[in-house]
Amino acid sequence: MGLLFLGACGSSTTQGNNTNNQGIQERVIKAGIGLNEDHPQGQGLLKFKEIVEQKSGGKLKVQTYFSATLGDDLKMTEALQGGTQEITIPSTSPLVGMIKEFGILDFPFLFNTAEEADAILDGSIGQKLLEKLPEHGLIGLGYWENGFRHVTNSKHAIKTAEDFEGLKLRTMQNEVHIDAFKALGANPTPMAFSEVFTALESKTIDGQENPLATIKSNKFYEVQKHLSLTKHVYTPFVFLVSKKFWDTLSPEEQKILQDAAVEAGKYQRQLSREEDQKALEDLKKTGVKINEVSDEEREKMAEIIKPVVEKYAKEFSEDLVNELYSELDKIRQQ
């Protein structure tokens, strides 16, 4: 976890900006996320607020906004670029439209375990991606966890690749995900997260895919009959700060934010993994029908999706993709 934040964060900071280098000033930091306060992401943000306020002696105040109050991930990211919001923690997927290389994290069936994901994100690959943010008006302080995604739907259990055929599934606005679901025969339907529950309830869509904690905290089980543990994609969150704001901070203030993002990130990942297990137990009690997808069937799905991965590898950066798979091989041999 030591590499959770970037040395590069400091590379575009306060040189030639000495007017604000007098320690810690009174500041209000607006931090918004798309998920609920009770979600591990929300709890992580509250931990971040607690650490920042404690380490700054109360001078740096973090105002928290949950449940997409300030807009969806994309809108909040744009607000950071414009300097009207200071912090957001989106999934990496919406960043792909801006920085295509982030798309390598969207490859289906890339990670087998959360520990593999940690090793990649906290290592050189994760760092290379974060280094691309400053030129887009963003600073990345590291990765938190959204987790492995699974599919819910109102039609039938998904046990084999063929079971995706014809299902209208909400996805993020993400080309890799969309093409992967199309390859499996589904009808992927991009939609803002805040609209998903209503669309499921009205049967505008058949299903959606998200980590278990998100499925639970947003009560999708109330409008879905089936939960299939597909583990088809691991999604990280990326902790973003507005560069316009970052550049006004003293080195001392920057260090407080960096350290807090790291410490709260460790807490959030741990909480995410505990909540994943707890969410599964709680979801079993709701009456939703839950089925495991075998490793053999997941491998078949991965094989069907392979042409999609190869297509986007060329587009994103073949060198980076080769490095990613090479690093994964090393991790798996340890």
Side-chain angles (χ1 to χ4, degrees):
M1 295 295 298
L3 289 172
L4 204 69
F5 63 86
L6 264 198
C9 295
S11 65
S12 52
T13 55
T14 51
Q15 280 91 11
N17 188 9
N18 295 321
T19 52
N20 290 316
N21 285 7
Q22 298 110 13
I24 306 168
Q25 296 186 22
E26 297 271 350
R27 298 179 188 271
V28 176
I29 301 167
K30 199 192 292 183
I33 59 170
L35 291 165
N36 306 338
E37 187 174 338
D38 67 350
H39 186 280
Q41 187 195 38
Q43 292 300 300
L45 182 55
L46 290 175
K47 175 63 77 174
F48 173 79
K49 170 186 167 74
E50 178 191 314
I51 297 164
V52 168
E53 293 180 357
Q54 184 258 318
K55 287 191 174 180
S56 67
K59 286 188 174 179
L60 300 178
K61 290 188 170 55
V62 181
Q63 276 183 355
T64 53
Y65 298 84
F66 303 99
S67 307
T69 313
L70 301 179
D72 62 18
D73 281 354
L74 199 54
K75 190 174 177 189
M76 288 191 282
T77 302
E78 286 167 356
L80 261 63
Q81 291 173 303
T84 58
Q85 182 177 330
E86 286 72 52
I87 287 171
T88 190
I89 316 167
S91 292
T92 52
S93 301
L95 293 176
V96 178
M98 188 194 313
I99 303 165
K100 63 184 182 183
E101 289 89 348
F102 268 98
I104 67 174
L105 301 177
D106 288 313
F107 288 162
F109 307 106
L110 178 64
F111 300 121
N112 295 326
T113 66
E115 290 71 29
E116 285 181 4
D118 289 350
I120 291 295
L121 294 168
D122 298 343
S124 61
I125 306 276
Q127 192 155 329
K128 281 178 181 178
L129 292 172
L130 293 185
E131 284 167 357
K132 296 182 181 297
L133 288 165
E135 66 191 270
H136 296 275
L138 302 164
I139 298 291
L141 300 189
Y143 299 94
W144 288 14
E145 177 168 282
N146 194 352
F148 282 103
R149 303 174 80 85
H150 309 279
V151 178
T152 69
N153 81 96
S154 56
K155 300 278 191 186
H156 53 249
I158 295 167
K159 295 176 181 174
T160 69
E162 291 74 26
D163 293 327
F164 279 101
E165 191 66 44
L167 281 181
K168 193 170 186 184
L169 293 177
R170 180 268 174 181
T171 63
M172 289 186 281
Q173 181 61 56
N174 179 282
E175 295 304 320
V176 180
H177 289 194
I178 290 166
D179 283 0
F181 279 116
K182 278 182 182 168
L184 288 165
N187 178 8
T189 308
M191 181 184 293
F193 182 74
S194 54
E195 297 166 17
V196 175
F197 187 94
T198 308
L200 293 170
E201 192 173 32
S202 64
K203 300 283 199 289
T204 308
I205 52 175
D206 300 319
Q208 62 80 50
E209 45 86 48
N210 261 298
L212 295 174
T214 306
I215 291 166
K216 176 191 153 186
S217 69
N218 288 275
K219 300 185 176 176
F220 291 149
Y221 53 82
E222 291 182 357
V223 286
Q224 298 276 268
K225 280 184 194 165
H226 301 278
L227 164 58
S228 302
L229 303 177
T230 49
K231 250 176 103 175
H232 56 278
V233 169
Y234 176 91
T235 312
F237 292 124
V238 60
F239 194 106
L240 298 179
V241 182
S242 162
K243 186 175 181 298
K244 282 187 178 177
F245 170 68
W246 184 260
D247 288 350
T248 69
L249 300 178
S250 69
E252 196 177 343
E253 289 167 327
Q254 289 177 352
K255 185 173 190 314
I256 287 170
L257 294 193
Q258 278 193 342
D259 290 352
V262 173
E263 194 179 327
K266 289 178 183 174
Y267 169 81
Q268 190 272 342
R269 279 181 178 174
Q270 182 62 32
L271 198 61
S272 173
R273 283 155 209 185
E274 288 169 7
E275 178 58 28
D276 201 57
Q277 282 308 305
K278 187 174 180 298
L280 185 58
E281 295 309 312
D282 290 346
L283 286 163
K284 283 175 184 171
K285 294 171 193 164
T286 68
V288 68
K289 293 175 183 170
I290 301 173
N291 70 284
E292 295 265 359
V293 178
S294 70
D295 288 343
E296 188 186 9
E297 284 300 329
R298 287 178 76 252
E299 281 168 24
K300 283 183 191 170
M301 291 173 191
E303 198 58 37
I304 292 167
I305 288 167
K306 208 172 175 184
V308 175
V309 172
E310 287 168 353
K311 171 190 164 185
Y312 283 101
K314 290 188 179 75
E315 195 177 304
F316 296 150
S317 165
E318 282 195 272
D319 288 346
L320 197 59
V321 171
N322 289 337
E323 188 183 338
L324 170 62
Y325 282 105
S326 166
E327 283 297 314
L328 273 173
D329 284 344
K330 283 183 207 162
I331 291 160
R332 286 166 185 163
Q333 283 162 19
Q334 281 171 3

